[in-house]
Amino acid sequence: MCQSEARQGPELQAAKWLHFPQLALRRRLGQLSCMSRPALKLRSWPLTILYYLLPFGALRPLSRVGWRPVSRVALYKSVPTRLLSRAWGRLNQVELPHWLRRPVYSLYIWTFGVNMKEAAVEDLHHYRNLSEFFRRKLKPQARPVCGLHSVISPSDGKILNFGQVKNCEVEQVKGVTYSLESFLGPRTSTEDLSFPPASSRDSFRNQLVTREGNELYHCVIYLAPGDYHCFHSPTDWTVSHRRHFPGSLMSVNPGMARWIKELFCHNERVVLTGDWKHGFFSLTAVGATNVGSIRIYFDQDLHTNSPRYSKGSYNDFSFVTHGNKEGVPMRKGEHLGEFNLGSTIVLIFEAPKDFNFRLKAGQKIRFGEALGSL
């Protein structure tokens, strides 16, 4: 009996010694759980970063004592992208020395495959800063506007998705959707808006579709950093309302769009709504990292990427006034606005059931080329 106890003694002591770090870690993690949320994030981030960076799961034993790493999505969302974008915007405004312009712009051209032969001014020394280079204009003949089709591409870019809107959900990329109502915002009964007031009997989609027999369509175009950064009117229509959503400025490249659900609903965006010959029409410019500045040429009151904003808030502005009861008329191909770097354009519009897109998902497209027609 004594020999058995003697044999168990060292084993029990070893077991206690092995369990002691776990007990200490549990106590420490218990202290973390009592912290405020900002303090808890501050203390858990270093461990989380190490958890994802260190090879062979070096910190995975911590999960046995109750610690869980912050998800990669939450970790990315915590990055101050708005602050970084404002800093990038300030840097873009810095005038470059004449001798430095060609090497800096040449590096950008080589990295992103920019075609400077299409630029109205090909001389790189002409652009005083990065902002002017990003917003360069094209030669008039570089982008002929297709006159045979009712809707053209408003910008250069890549087609991420297109088709009919089903169940009030829109695909940002294949298999990843977002809520149409979250993206455009709730409909209101304000008289100067272009859509009818909400009713308990109608779905959100039915509030947008104003004519019997029509369907709701969408098209998502991603602008890469090397693309032409201005966007144009995709059809003949009248803009009656602008809704600005301050928000995050996360990257909108296709890989990130697959990773973060409802990415376009989180990011800052400017929603222009109005009417075309078949009913409701909207164009949304979605901001992204380093694209805090979204400019609409006819809207001098729009200011994006402000230092402070309330999450989930939005600002409405009507272009319908007592002196102008129709709004702002836009002709197909007319200059509409610009980004400071690559981003995303989302078209959501009403059209008859025989409307057909002339696209393939993933194809490259240029401003002026056909999106679809009846």
Side-chain angles (χ1 to χ4, degrees), residues 8 70 97 100 141 193 218:
Q8 291 178 359
V70 177
L100 190 59
Q141 67 275 18
L193 299 187
H218 79 283

Side-chain angles (χ1 to χ4, degrees), residues 181 184-189 195-198 204 207-208 243 273 280:
E181 185 170 6
L184 296 178
R187 305 299 90 184
T188 69
S189 57
F195 34 76
F204 186 79
Q207 296 172 36
L208 301 179
R243 176 169 283 170
T273 56
F280 173 81

Side-chain angles (χ1 to χ4, degrees), residues 142-156:
R143 296 291 187 275
V145 175
C146 177
L148 299 177
H149 301 279
S150 54
V151 183
I152 62 168
S153 176
S155 65
D156 289 9

Side-chain angles (χ1 to χ4, degrees), residues 114 116 119 127 132-138 226-228 230:
V114 179
M116 284 302 294
Y127 303 101
E132 288 188 2
F133 178 72
F134 295 150
R135 296 181 288 106
R136 64 192 176 277
K137 304 301 181 184
L138 297 181
D227 288 327
Y228 169 56
C230 297

Side-chain angles (χ1 to χ4, degrees), residues 217-366:
Y217 298 88
H218 79 283
C219 183
V220 183
I221 305 170
Y222 167 68
L223 288 74
D227 288 327
Y228 169 56
H229 293 342
C230 297
F231 51 95
H232 301 246
S233 175
T235 192
D236 296 332
W237 65 308
T238 301
V239 184
S240 57
H241 181 259
R242 179 259 291 164
R243 176 169 283 170
H244 171 219
F245 291 84
S248 302
L249 287 172
M250 294 180 282
S251 172
V252 293
N253 70 64
M256 196 64 66
R258 293 186 187 94
W259 194 28
I260 300 179
K261 183 177 174 59
E262 296 200 332
L263 171 62
F264 296 161
C265 299
H266 292 300
N267 270 17
E268 181 164 22
R269 58 198 182 277
V270 177
V271 182
L272 301 178
T273 56
D275 292 284
W276 72 317
K277 60 183 178 181
H278 298 296
F280 173 81
F281 197 96
S282 73
L283 180 149
T284 302
V286 183
T289 306
N290 297 334
V291 195
S293 175
I294 302 172
R295 183 183 174 193
I296 305 297
Y297 294 138
F298 59 77
D299 189 355
Q300 302 301 318
D301 296 317
L302 175 64
H303 301 285
T304 56
N305 196 10
S306 300
R308 294 182 181 181
Y309 73 98
S310 299
K311 187 175 181 180
S313 65
Y314 57 84
N315 305 306
D316 285 328
F317 184 85
S318 175
F319 299 109
V320 178
T321 63
H322 293 293
N324 180 11
K325 295 186 178 182
E326 294 186 358
V328 181
M330 297 297 300
R331 303 294 297 175
K332 183 166 64 175
E334 186 177 351
H335 279 82
L336 182 54
E338 63 187 32
F339 295 110
N340 267 348
L341 205 60
S343 195
T344 300
I345 295 286
V346 180
L347 302 179
I348 299 174
F349 57 92
E350 172 186 2
K353 292 181 179 180
D354 57 349
F355 181 88
N356 292 312
F357 284 103
R358 301 178 181 272
L359 304 170
K360 293 181 180 179
Q363 79 170 71
K364 292 287 291 182
I365 198 166
R366 305 200 302 176

